[in-house]
Amino acid sequence: MTMDEVDRLVASWQQERPDLDVTPLQVLSRVSRLARHLDRARRASFAEHDLEPWEFDVLTALRRAGKPYELSPGALLRATLVTSGTMTNRIDRLAQAGLVRRRPDPEDRRGVLVSLTDDGRARVDAAFADLLRRERELLAGLGAEEQRALADLLRTLLTPFDA
């Protein structure tokens, strides 16, 4: 087995602090390093499609909603975990860019619905396909069964935090 940077880090700590159990570093330092690679891949994918990460988040929330690709601002808040003021600003900016449009909510005269424009849908679809290609490259060292096993282990680890 080839040693990686984390192996060297763990060995150094074991040498310097043999009184501590540094086992968590073997997993979590690798998760942290992988997260940095994933962040770079995402930023590159979004930039290639002239999107900011927050724009991608809002557009994908609308795209995942299915036809007619629209949600209320409140539903977008829940999907993206930002404040009301932040969401209003984001919707304004996306509308100015022609990626979304607002329309009155036929069920609530005071409400509005935010929907993807054709340009918004095309842009988010292309960015998402590119992102998946880059993510597949990050996972290329693992076979399909290993990827499923890792996904299962990570789900087990993360579930208590997501509750």
Side-chain angles (χ1 to χ4, degrees):
M1 182 185 322
T2 306
M3 282 189 63
D4 68 359
E5 199 57 38
V6 174
D7 290 322
R8 288 185 274 283
L9 173 81
V10 167
S12 295
W13 278 118
Q14 286 172 331
Q15 177 79 27
E16 293 300 314
R17 292 295 309 268
D19 57 310
L20 295 177
D21 176 10
V22 295
T23 304
L25 292 177
Q26 294 178 7
V27 173
L28 298 176
S29 290
R30 287 184 176 97
V31 168
S32 177
R33 293 171 65 80
L34 182 59
R36 284 194 297 273
H37 289 289
L38 177 58
D39 185 58
R40 273 184 268 192
R42 286 181 173 204
R43 289 184 183 281
S45 179
F46 303 155
E48 190 169 305
H49 298 279
D50 197 28
L51 292 172
E52 293 292 328
W54 66 265
E55 291 172 312
F56 182 82
D57 288 346
V58 174
L59 296 176
T60 56
L62 290 166
R63 183 64 169 98
R64 288 190 317 268
K67 284 188 177 183
Y69 312 114
E70 66 184 9
L71 293 169
S72 68
L76 282 170
L77 282 173
R78 289 185 294 280
T80 59
L81 305 175
V82 297
T83 66
S84 176
T86 297
M87 183 53 67
T88 298
N89 180 272
R90 289 178 177 186
I91 293 168
D92 289 346
R93 291 173 63 186
L94 288 166
Q96 288 171 354
L99 300 175
V100 302
R101 69 176 156 270
R102 287 185 175 96
R103 72 176 185 92
D105 184 342
E107 309 285 319
D108 176 3
R109 281 192 277 175
R110 295 172 299 158
V112 298
L113 294 172
V114 179
S115 57
L116 278 176
T117 63
D118 290 342
D119 185 38
R121 183 175 164 206
R123 182 102 56 98
V124 75
D125 281 353
F128 186 55
D130 184 51
L131 175 60
L132 289 174
R133 178 187 59 77
R134 291 170 192 261
E135 288 182 353
R136 275 190 295 279
E137 289 172 4
L138 287 173
L139 295 171
L142 300 176
E145 187 57 39
E146 291 170 313
Q147 288 182 36
R148 278 190 292 278
L150 180 58
D152 289 343
L153 290 168
L154 291 170
R155 181 182 309 105
T156 299
L157 184 63
L158 288 171
T159 297
F161 296 102
D162 292 341

